[in-house]
């Protein structure tokens, strides 16, 4: 199996850095070919702008969606974007690792998604079976791949639970797992979250490493989160969940079968 490890932490000597190294070693022990996108070490440009389209008229207004689609089709995107797209195309699995900062991933990781998942690669693929719809939320060019988030959080596990002051970790990660990865067709296995990351001693570190290895051992076989498919009958023409699914309920959880 081919696995791309996307690492979004500024310090290689951190807890995140040690877990990344342990995880990559484990995957290779299990026979995976592993490639790494270390975003900070790469100096990844996080801002999506006209510079992503070499040769464009610099005086023309930037229309990022249409321009990304046109440059995607002609293979003329910025070389750093094309390099990341090639890695994703190569990969069977993606491991995306980051610390939870202010309820979200670091800006550099959001910028990686913004620039790499261009129209014509990550989205905007016409659905031949449903005119007027596109292949997204479970379908698309990246369907068949799977991903897992590896996240560190400073809060205690209870504080990131269903009644915790920080909000449920499942809802905090919903924009990435559902709105980014599942949107482009990538199946997502449950995340591995390390709580209390700023209070880790040697014993806790050993436990974290053990849990990471165990999850990576099952990366290819673990059941993914059962998000609903957009184009397979659960949603109406306005992309609203049909009334007979999760009747009387609302909120993010209704989009999980």
């Amino acid at each position: 199996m081919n696995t791309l490890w996307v690492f979004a932490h500024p310090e290689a000597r951190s807890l995140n850095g040690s877990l990344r190294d342990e995880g990559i070693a484990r995957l290779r022990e299990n026979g995976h070919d592993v490639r790494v996108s270390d975003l900070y070490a790469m100096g990844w440009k996080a801002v999506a702008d006209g510079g992503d389209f070499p040769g464009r008229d610099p005086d023309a207004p930037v229309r990022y969606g249409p321009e990304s689609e046109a440059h995607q089709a002609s293979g003329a995107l910025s070389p750093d974007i094309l390099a990341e797209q090639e890695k994703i195309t190569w990969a069977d699995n993606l491991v995306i690792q980051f610390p939870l900062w202010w309820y979200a991933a670091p800006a550099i990781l959001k910028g990686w998604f913004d620039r790499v998942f261009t129209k014509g690669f990550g989205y905007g693929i016409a659905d031949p079976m449903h005119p007027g719809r596109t292949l997204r939320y479970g379908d698309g060019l990246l369907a068949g791949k799977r991903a897992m988030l590896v996240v560190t959080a400073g809060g205690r596990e209870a504080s990131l639970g269903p009644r915790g002051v920080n909000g449920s970790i499942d809802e905090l990660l919903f924009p990435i797992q559902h709105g980014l990865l599942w949107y482009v067709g990538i199946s997502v296995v449950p995340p591995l979250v390390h709580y209390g990351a700023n209070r880790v001693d040697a014993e806790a570190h050993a436990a974290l490493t053990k849990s990471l290895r165990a999850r990576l051992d099952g990366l290819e076989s673990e059941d993914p989160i059962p998000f609903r498919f957009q184009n397979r009958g659960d949603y109406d023409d306005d992309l609203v969940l049909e009334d007979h699914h999760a009747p009387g309920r609302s909120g993010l959880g209704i989009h999980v079968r």
Side-chain angles (χ1 to χ4, degrees):
M1 303 293 284
N2 297 332
T3 299
L4 172 62
W5 195 293
V6 182
F7 182 71
H9 193 284
E11 179 53 70
R13 297 164 294 184
S14 62
L15 170 63
N16 272 276
S18 68
L19 292 173
R20 175 200 61 187
D21 294 344
E22 292 281 357
I24 291 172
R26 186 63 165 194
L27 288 171
R28 287 174 172 154
E29 288 174 9
N30 291 340
H32 288 242
D33 288 327
V34 182
R35 297 170 70 178
V36 180
S37 288
D38 184 338
L39 301 185
Y40 283 94
M42 293 160 57
W44 178 259
K45 180 174 85 74
V47 178
D49 57 23
D52 295 340
F53 313 126
R56 72 178 305 277
D57 179 358
D59 295 324
V62 177
R63 301 177 65 235
Y64 201 88
E67 290 189 60
S68 70
E69 183 178 33
H71 282 73
Q72 177 74 49
S74 64
L77 289 165
S78 176
D80 59 343
I81 296 175
L82 291 174
E84 296 305 294
Q85 290 182 345
E86 188 276 327
K87 293 177 188 176
I88 294 170
T89 300
W90 165 87
D92 302 299
N93 311 299
L94 285 78
V95 177
I96 300 172
Q97 183 185 2
F98 59 91
L100 192 67
W101 289 351
W102 291 112
Y103 290 86
I108 198 169
L109 180 58
K110 179 57 164 58
W112 184 81
F113 284 115
D114 287 346
R115 297 182 64 225
V116 174
F117 286 17
T118 57
K119 190 171 186 178
F121 179 79
Y123 73 103
I125 314 300
D127 182 354
M129 302 301 294
H130 300 86
R133 289 196 181 187
T134 56
L135 294 173
R136 56 185 179 179
Y137 290 118
D139 295 309
L141 295 181
L142 301 181
K145 301 178 186 297
R146 58 173 47 209
M148 182 175 78
L149 303 188
V150 176
V151 181
T152 55
R156 301 180 188 278
E157 184 170 4
S159 75
L160 287 156
R163 292 175 60 82
V165 68
N166 293 315
S168 166
I169 191 66
D170 291 333
E171 294 195 350
L172 294 181
L173 296 179
F174 188 88
I176 298 176
Q177 296 189 136
H178 183 269
L180 284 169
L181 295 167
W182 182 241
Y183 187 98
V184 301
I186 299 174
S187 297
V188 186
V189 302
L192 178 60
V193 182
H194 300 306
Y195 301 94
N198 56 342
R199 299 179 294 276
V200 174
D201 57 18
E203 182 179 359
H205 185 272
L208 295 180
T209 300
K210 182 178 180 180
S211 65
L212 175 60
R213 289 173 175 167
R215 289 296 307 280
L216 293 174
D217 288 348
L219 181 59
E220 300 165 43
S221 58
E222 186 172 3
D223 290 337
I225 300 169
F227 291 129
R228 298 181 186 276
F229 288 85
Q230 174 186 290
N231 295 339
R232 304 194 188 183
D234 284 4
Y235 298 90
D236 65 19
D237 289 340
D238 290 322
L239 302 183
V240 175
L241 190 65
E242 296 280 5
D243 289 341
H244 60 279
H245 294 301
R249 293 172 52 204
S250 61
L252 302 181
I254 67 173
H255 302 295
V256 180
R257 297 191 306 275

